[in-house]
Amino acid sequence: MAYRAADNPDRIKALGGVAAIHLGLAAIILSGLNVHTVSRSDDRLSVVDIREVPPPPPPPPPPPSQR
């Protein structure tokens, strides 16, 4: 089965689509690495002290069986 080479307009459309996807992903990654947003959200964090309830004591061992 012989494959036909893609026409020039098809290659340009494909190249444009690939470039658009890469630019979109680069923008998402770079906006995720924005330092100003991270430092601003750090000011709003608060610390909460959570006290855990101690576990109940283990049950007593069963009495020895007498035979």
Side-chain angles (χ1 to χ4, degrees):
M1 174 180 245
Y3 290 101
R4 185 175 64 103
D7 294 336
N8 199 19
D10 290 338
R11 284 186 175 185
I12 292 172
K13 289 178 187 175
L15 180 63
V18 169
I21 291 172
H22 281 86
L23 288 174
L25 289 174
I28 290 171
I29 290 171
L30 292 177
S31 68
L33 297 175
N34 190 355
V35 178
H36 300 293
T37 305
V38 173
S39 65
R40 262 188 273 133
S41 67
D42 188 32
D43 298 336
R44 292 181 285 189
L45 292 176
S46 63
V47 177
V48 179
D49 187 21
I50 299 175
R51 299 184 190 273
E52 292 187 30
V53 178
S65 63
Q66 297 176 0
R67 287 190 176 185

